[in-house]
């Protein structure tokens, strides 16, 4: 379990670095991309509960380090999203990439809105803040849909290289 969590933490760190560079590139247009649902979806759909929960929480902590929220906020939100996805995954063909992308998009939407409510600044005009937020959400969903298949394949390949068979891992419930 520890090796799987470490591998998924490495993949999350790589994704966070890539998204950071993309946000730096998009900074001139005042657009921010946030793909939190992508950090949670693969592990929640394909791995056992404890491995997925640990990797989701660590990914949230990695993202918390650079965000203007209390440390642990995204970690606990990712943990909650993981629990929800894990409990409904039996109803979906979770080996399919398209299902993973749709789950990541829905999780991203829910997490984005939850963080939006947590980060509301009372000094800023709410309508302007939410309009900017929805523009960022649209850009985030587009980017997530484009890079999710690559990120899922990378996580799957890293786990396979370390000797973890995903078929065996997804059958365990806890």
């Amino acid at each position: 379990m520890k090796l799987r969590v470490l591998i998924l933490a490495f993949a999350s760190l790589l994704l966070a670095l890539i998204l950071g560079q993309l946000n730096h590139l998009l900074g001139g247009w005042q657009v921010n991309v946030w793909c939190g649902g992508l950090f949670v979806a693969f592990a929640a759909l394909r791995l056992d509960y404890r491995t997925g929960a640990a990797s989701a929480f660590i990914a949230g902590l990695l993202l918390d380090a650079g965000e203007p929220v209390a440390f642990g906020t995204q970690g606990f939100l990712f943990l909650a999203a993981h629990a929800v996805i894990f409990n409904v995954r039996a109803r979906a063909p979770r080996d399919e990439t398209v299902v993973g992308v749709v789950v990541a998009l829905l999780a991203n939407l829910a997490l984005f809105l939850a963080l939006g409510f947590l980060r509301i600044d009372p000094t800023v005009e709410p309508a302007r803040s939410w309009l900017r937020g929805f523009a960022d959400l649209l850009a985030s969903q587009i980017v997530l849909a484009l890079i999710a298949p690559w990120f899922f394949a990378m996580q799957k390949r890293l786990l396979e290289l370390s000797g973890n068979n995903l078929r065996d891992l997804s059958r365990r419930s806890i």
Side-chain angles (χ1 to χ4, degrees), residues 41 45 89 91-106 152:
L45 288 172
R89 77 181 190 169
R91 298 181 182 102
R94 57 184 178 248
D95 293 343
E96 299 291 328
T97 303
V98 174
V99 172
V101 172
V102 170
V103 167
L105 285 168
L106 292 172
F152 292 157

Side-chain angles (χ1 to χ4, degrees), residues 44 49 78-89:
Y49 184 81
F78 283 12
L79 199 56
H82 174 267
V84 169
I85 295 168
F86 186 85
N87 284 321
V88 299
R89 77 181 190 169

